[in-house]
Structures are given as C-alpha cells and as structure tokens.
Amino acid sequence: MEETDQAIVAALAKDGRLSYTDLAAQVGLSVSAVHQRVRRLEQRGIIAGYGARVNFEAIGLPLTAFVAIRPFDPAQPDDAPEKLAHLPEIESCYSVAGEDFYILLVRVASPSDLERLLAEIRTKANVTHRTTVVLSTPFEQRPPRI
Amino acid sequence: MEETDQAIVAALAKDGRLSYTDLAAQVGLSVSAVHQRVRRLEQRGIIAGYGARVNFEAIGLPLTAFVAIRPFDPAQPDDAPEKLAHLPEIESCYSVAGEDFYILLVRVASPSDLERLLAEIRTKANVTHRTTVVLSTPFEQRPPRI
DNA sequence: GTTGAAATCGTTTGGAC
DNA sequence: GTCCAAACGATTTCAAC
C-alpha cells in the first residue's frame, strides 16, 4: 500500500469521524483526492467499515471473558464459527494454533448470563471450554501504527 | 441507560459514520434531538470515540497473536500495562483472573517481528509469556446487541 | 491521479414550545 | 427535552489538467 493511503487509514483508524476536509489537511491532499482514495480503500476492503468505540460497562455489559473452545469429539466437522455466529454476546472469534481450536471474546451483563452463554456454546458447537474472566481493561482497540 | 440512547449507541456501534439525519430517522427523533443526545453520550464517555475497522492483512499486519503474560518475580510491582503501553504492536491489554496476569492482543507483520516483540515484552515488563498465534478470524469486533 | 469550483446535502446553533 | 428554521460548513460531483 502506498504511503498516502497508509496515512489515510491510520488517521481514520484513530478518528473514524474525521471530515474529508480535515483528513485532506492532515495528509496534504485536496478534499476530492482524499475522498476518492477513501472510497477506493473502502471498495478494496482495506477499510472494512466504521464503528463507535463504546464503553461496555456503561451500556450494561460489564463482564468480558475469553472462552477457549475445542471439539468434544475431534472426529466431527469443525464448524463452530457458523454455529456460534448467531450469538450476539460473542464479539470476536479467532481460530488459533495450539490445544484450543478457537478463542472467543464475549461480553455479558452478569455472571449468570455468562453461565447461560457457556452452556449454549457447549451444546450448540459441541465443544468443551476453558473460560478466562477479564478483571479490567488497561487499554483496548488502540489504532495500529501503520 | 434509556431506550432511545441505547438505540443511538447500537446504531453508531454498527456504523460510526452515520449522519445525524439518518440516525434521527432510525431512532425516530429530530436531527437536533439526536445530535444533542450523541454529544451527551460522548461527554459521559459512553461513546468513547470512533474508528475505522481496518483489514490488518491488507495494511501489512497479517499476523495476530494472543500473548498471556505473568510476572517473572511475583513479588515485584505489577505495572505491566504502563511498561507495555508504548509498544504500538499491542492493540489491547486485558487484566485477567487465573494463572496469567494479562492477556495481550498483538498485531505484527511477520513471525520474526513477533519474536522481536516477545523479547521486548519479556524484558520491558519482566514477565514470562505464553503465546497463541491466530490462524484466521472468522469474525471480529461485531457491534454489541444492546 | 489530481485539482478547483459549484451544487447538494448535512451539521450546528438559537429560539420557541 | 424536543422541535423548527436559518446560517454555516462539509460532501459529492464534474469537467479540466
């Protein structure tokens, strides 16, 4: 990727609501030039979208956990992501190397909600799990240094 | 939090570049009313900011890993987050319950960059680590169901 | 691929309910 | 707290380089 595009992506990763006017000033281009470049970055999927960074405690989801899962029966097909995608509590799903097959990042309102969610994950995806509760988040989702 | 505010946060988590005009239509309010509410949500820290969702492979950071760390000497002060915050490869830092003290989510360009980063984490924070490489990401950073 | 200008549209403010 | 309306600023398009 080109240097100018890198600067654009970095700036929008840090502040997704930057106006094209401000963005143009930051990268030293005209407004229409940055606008065109951003559109291309979006079309090529380099910028996949935009989102508000929300305070999960404030919106009633104060409990975050990592859930490492592996198939109960390793002989069966490994389609956990499709089977779990409909659960909105699962924010992210990573396929990983190692003993576990997937690591899930989940957000729930309470320990009992976590308990219910884990039961659903177990039965829906036919897996065993090892869950690590997050106590606090010193920092999260920092923009990448490109 | 109120129902209308929940709808606003949910909409902006899904699409952080929604115009106030579209947002007002979605939640059934006037433009100035949603505008005022969004400003208050930002001031109260419920909306902490906005960011572009970037394709890390496309921007030259195709390797993601979880790094679980624990102090080499449990008697020493536990200030890993401050000591690691300056490393831009570390996207997120979670304090967790269990054997490990922190779980880090890191993004690097290559295995050798990961090797260098792990060495830095070890020496800077005086910790041992257990690293889990991400093979693929079925889904990530989905907006929360509020 | 970049520019500048023009038309359109959204944002933002202030006052009234 | 919500709404309307007016002034302002940004977005988007287009022709030209």
Side-chain angles (χ1 to χ4, degrees):
Chain A
M1 194 171 50
E2 201 197 331
E3 197 181 341
T4 307
D5 282 341
Q6 286 183 2
I8 290 172
V9 174
L12 286 175
K14 198 188 289 184
D15 181 2
R17 286 205 83 135
L18 259 185
S19 72
Y20 293 112
T21 308
D22 291 348
L23 190 54
Q26 281 194 28
V27 302
L29 246 60
S30 72
V31 173
S32 17
V34 282
H35 185 231
Q36 201 171 17
R37 278 171 179 266
V38 170
R39 285 180 67 94
R40 290 197 56 200
L41 289 166
E42 290 170 353
Q43 283 175 349
R44 291 160 61 195
I46 294 175
I47 293 175
Y50 303 88
R53 281 188 278 267
V54 305
N55 181 333
F56 288 96
E57 302 194 7
I59 63 168
L61 297 172
L63 182 45
T64 298
F66 289 100
V67 182
I69 62 176
R70 68 186 77 172
F72 189 77
D73 174 7
Q76 288 210 316
D78 173 26
D79 52 358
E82 301 95 87
K83 286 181 174 167
L84 298 175
H86 73 286
L87 293 170
E89 295 91 345
I90 305 177
E91 183 182 297
S92 303
C93 173
Y94 302 91
S95 168
V96 294
E99 293 176 27
D100 297 308
F101 275 47
Y102 296 98
I103 291 179
L104 314 174
L105 177 58
V106 307
R107 314 260 190 194
V108 293
S110 66
S112 63
D113 278 359
L114 180 57
E115 187 177 21
R116 271 189 287 276
L117 176 63
L118 292 173
E120 269 215 284
I121 290 172
R122 238 183 290 126
T123 56
K124 288 267 165 60
N126 218 261
V127 293
T128 62
H129 69 87
R130 198 164 41 83
T131 295
T132 302
V133 171
V134 172
L135 303 171
S136 71
T137 304
F139 52 86
E140 192 176 25
Q141 274 173 238
R142 297 196 303 183
R145 188 205 60 68
I146 308 175
Chain B
M1 197 170 49
E2 199 196 333
E3 198 180 340
T4 307
D5 282 341
Q6 285 184 2
I8 290 172
V9 173
L12 286 175
K14 198 188 289 181
D15 181 1
R17 286 204 82 134
L18 261 185
S19 73
Y20 293 112
T21 308
D22 291 348
L23 190 55
Q26 281 195 27
V27 302
L29 246 59
S30 72
V31 174
S32 20
V34 281
H35 185 231
Q36 200 171 21
R37 278 171 178 265
V38 171
R39 286 179 66 94
R40 290 198 56 200
L41 288 166
E42 291 170 351
Q43 283 175 349
R44 290 161 61 194
I46 294 174
I47 293 175
Y50 304 88
R53 281 188 278 266
V54 306
N55 181 333
F56 288 96
E57 302 194 9
I59 62 167
L61 298 172
L63 181 45
T64 298
F66 289 101
V67 182
I69 61 176
R70 70 185 76 171
F72 189 77
D73 173 7
Q76 288 209 317
D78 173 26
D79 51 358
E82 300 97 85
K83 285 181 175 169
L84 297 175
H86 73 285
L87 293 170
E89 296 91 343
I90 306 177
E91 183 182 298
S92 302
C93 172
Y94 301 91
S95 167
V96 294
E99 293 176 27
D100 297 308
F101 275 46
Y102 296 97
I103 291 178
L104 314 174
L105 177 57
V106 307
R107 314 259 190 195
V108 292
S110 67
S112 63
D113 278 359
L114 180 57
E115 188 177 21
R116 269 188 288 276
L117 176 63
L118 293 173
E120 268 215 285
I121 290 172
R122 239 183 291 125
T123 55
K124 287 270 165 59
N126 218 261
V127 292
T128 62
H129 70 87
R130 198 163 41 83
T131 295
T132 303
V133 170
V134 172
L135 302 172
S136 71
T137 304
F139 52 86
E140 191 177 27
Q141 275 174 234
R142 299 197 301 184
R145 187 206 60 68
I146 309 176

